[in-house]
Short mmCIF file of all heavy atoms in Angstrom, two decimals:
data_model
loop_
_atom_site.label_atom_id
_atom_site.label_comp_id
_atom_site.label_asym_id
_atom_site.label_seq_id
_atom_site.Cartn_x
_atom_site.Cartn_y
_atom_site.Cartn_z
N ILE I 115 17.27 -3.40 11.23
CA ILE I 115 18.16 -3.09 12.35
C ILE I 115 19.06 -1.91 12.00
O ILE I 115 19.23 -0.98 12.79
CB ILE I 115 18.98 -4.33 12.74
CG1 ILE I 115 18.07 -5.37 13.37
CG2 ILE I 115 20.12 -3.97 13.67
CD1 ILE I 115 18.69 -6.74 13.53
N ALA I 116 19.64 -1.95 10.80
CA ALA I 116 20.53 -0.85 10.39
C ALA I 116 19.81 0.48 10.34
O ALA I 116 20.32 1.49 10.82
CB ALA I 116 21.15 -1.16 9.03
N SER I 117 18.59 0.50 9.78
CA SER I 117 17.87 1.77 9.65
C SER I 117 17.48 2.35 11.00
O SER I 117 17.61 3.56 11.22
CB SER I 117 16.64 1.62 8.75
OG SER I 117 15.72 0.72 9.30
N VAL I 118 17.03 1.52 11.91
CA VAL I 118 16.68 2.00 13.24
C VAL I 118 17.91 2.48 13.99
O VAL I 118 17.91 3.56 14.60
CB VAL I 118 15.92 0.92 14.05
CG1 VAL I 118 15.75 1.32 15.50
CG2 VAL I 118 14.58 0.63 13.41
N TYR I 119 18.97 1.71 13.94
CA TYR I 119 20.21 2.09 14.62
C TYR I 119 20.75 3.43 14.08
O TYR I 119 21.08 4.33 14.85
CB TYR I 119 21.26 0.98 14.46
CG TYR I 119 22.58 1.31 15.11
CD1 TYR I 119 22.73 1.15 16.48
CD2 TYR I 119 23.64 1.80 14.38
CE1 TYR I 119 23.93 1.46 17.10
CE2 TYR I 119 24.84 2.11 14.98
CZ TYR I 119 24.99 1.94 16.34
OH TYR I 119 26.17 2.25 16.95
N LEU I 120 20.83 3.54 12.77
CA LEU I 120 21.36 4.75 12.17
C LEU I 120 20.47 5.97 12.41
O LEU I 120 20.96 7.09 12.53
CB LEU I 120 21.56 4.55 10.66
CG LEU I 120 22.65 3.53 10.29
CD1 LEU I 120 22.58 3.22 8.80
CD2 LEU I 120 24.02 4.03 10.68
N SER I 121 19.16 5.75 12.49
CA SER I 121 18.25 6.88 12.69
C SER I 121 18.43 7.55 14.05
O SER I 121 17.99 8.68 14.25
CB SER I 121 16.79 6.42 12.52
OG SER I 121 16.37 5.65 13.63
N GLN I 122 19.07 6.86 14.96
CA GLN I 122 19.27 7.41 16.31
C GLN I 122 20.66 8.04 16.52
O GLN I 122 21.01 8.41 17.64
CB GLN I 122 19.03 6.32 17.35
CG GLN I 122 17.64 5.74 17.30
CD GLN I 122 16.57 6.82 17.36
OE1 GLN I 122 16.56 7.63 18.28
NE2 GLN I 122 15.68 6.85 16.38
N SER I 123 21.41 8.18 15.45
CA SER I 123 22.73 8.79 15.56
C SER I 123 22.60 10.27 15.92
O SER I 123 21.63 10.94 15.57
CB SER I 123 23.48 8.65 14.24
OG SER I 123 24.71 9.35 14.30
N ARG I 124 23.61 10.79 16.56
CA ARG I 124 23.62 12.21 16.93
C ARG I 124 24.06 13.09 15.77
O ARG I 124 23.90 14.30 15.81
CB ARG I 124 24.54 12.44 18.11
CG ARG I 124 24.00 11.82 19.37
CD ARG I 124 24.91 12.12 20.53
NE ARG I 124 24.38 11.46 21.72
CZ ARG I 124 24.82 11.68 22.93
NH1 ARG I 124 25.82 12.51 23.14
NH2 ARG I 124 24.29 11.05 23.95
N THR I 125 24.66 12.51 14.75
CA THR I 125 25.17 13.31 13.64
C THR I 125 24.37 13.08 12.37
O THR I 125 23.97 11.96 12.06
CB THR I 125 26.65 13.00 13.37
OG1 THR I 125 26.76 11.64 12.92
CG2 THR I 125 27.51 13.20 14.59
N ASP I 126 24.15 14.17 11.62
CA ASP I 126 23.44 14.07 10.35
C ASP I 126 24.20 13.19 9.35
O ASP I 126 23.59 12.49 8.56
CB ASP I 126 23.26 15.45 9.71
CG ASP I 126 22.15 16.25 10.35
OD1 ASP I 126 21.34 15.67 11.09
OD2 ASP I 126 22.08 17.47 10.07
#
Side-chain angles (χ1 to χ4, degrees):
I115 290 167
S117 63
V118 170
Y119 179 80
L120 293 169
S121 73
Q122 300 308 305
S123 175
R124 292 183 182 190
T125 65
D126 283 346

